[in-house]
Amino acid sequence: MKKLITSRKGEGYIDVAIGLVALMMVLVVTLNIYSFLTLKQDMDEICGQLIETAAFTGSFGDEFEERCEELKGTFFDFDVTTSATEYYNETYKRVQLGDTMTLTISVHTYVQGVGAFKIPITVQSTRSGISEKYWK
């Protein structure tokens, strides 16, 4: 019995199997981090283009909405939240020259590769700009 317990036969196979499982887990985590970094980079680009459009037109109006829909068609679907320090016209969401405009976009996604579990993640990007249009 003592000889059977101290025997090391097959131990190498178990070490290799555990090592492969650990390697795959590290690979999944690395791929998730990479995908979140590329998603964040794309979101920063989208947010920058949208705040540039909003600041140039001085509103979160039709031109902004058209650009937003164009970018959603090009990249991916995202949620948009807009705000300003003070609106010149609340109905048309116009912002007076020199006032700050803030834009936040967010994407709801999940961590991939963890089996049956779905871990929700919300990735956000926020940019601000200054209105470049004077409203009379």
Side-chain angles (χ1 to χ4, degrees), residues 5 20 39-40 70 73 77-78 84 98-99 101 125 129:
I5 293 174
L20 284 175
L39 176 65
K40 178 69 170 150
E70 181 182 320
D77 193 25
F78 50 86
D99 286 340
M101 310 168 80
S125 181

Side-chain angles (χ1 to χ4, degrees), residues 29-41 110 112:
V29 168
T30 304
L31 289 174
N32 274 318
I33 290 172
Y34 178 74
S35 69
F36 289 137
L37 288 175
T38 56
L39 176 65
K40 178 69 170 150
Q41 185 177 10
Y110 296 96
Q112 303 294 323

Side-chain angles (χ1 to χ4, degrees), residues 15 27 35 46 77 95 120 123 130:
D15 290 343
L27 185 63
S35 69
I46 291 168
D77 193 25
V95 180
V123 182
I130 296 175

Side-chain angles (χ1 to χ4, degrees), residues 48-130:
Q49 289 183 20
L50 287 175
I51 197 64
E52 184 178 310
T53 302
F56 182 72
T57 60
S59 70
F60 294 111
D62 294 335
E63 295 90 358
F64 175 79
E65 293 297 327
E66 288 173 10
R67 184 67 177 146
C68 189
E69 292 303 318
E70 181 182 320
L71 289 174
K72 280 184 181 180
T74 303
F75 288 96
F76 45 81
D77 193 25
F78 50 86
D79 299 325
V80 178
T81 306
T82 59
S83 65
T85 54
E86 182 179 345
Y87 285 107
Y88 172 73
N89 186 330
E90 192 74 38
T91 306
Y92 299 110
K93 292 192 173 185
R94 293 180 177 164
V95 180
Q96 191 58 274
L97 177 70
D99 286 340
T100 304
M101 310 168 80
T102 306
L103 174 72
T104 302
I105 63 171
S106 60
V107 173
H108 305 288
T109 187
Y110 296 96
V111 175
Q112 303 294 323
V114 289
F117 301 107
K118 279 191 159 184
I119 302 171
I121 299 281
T122 301
V123 182
Q124 288 186 343
S125 181
T126 303
R127 293 283 171 101
S128 63
I130 296 175

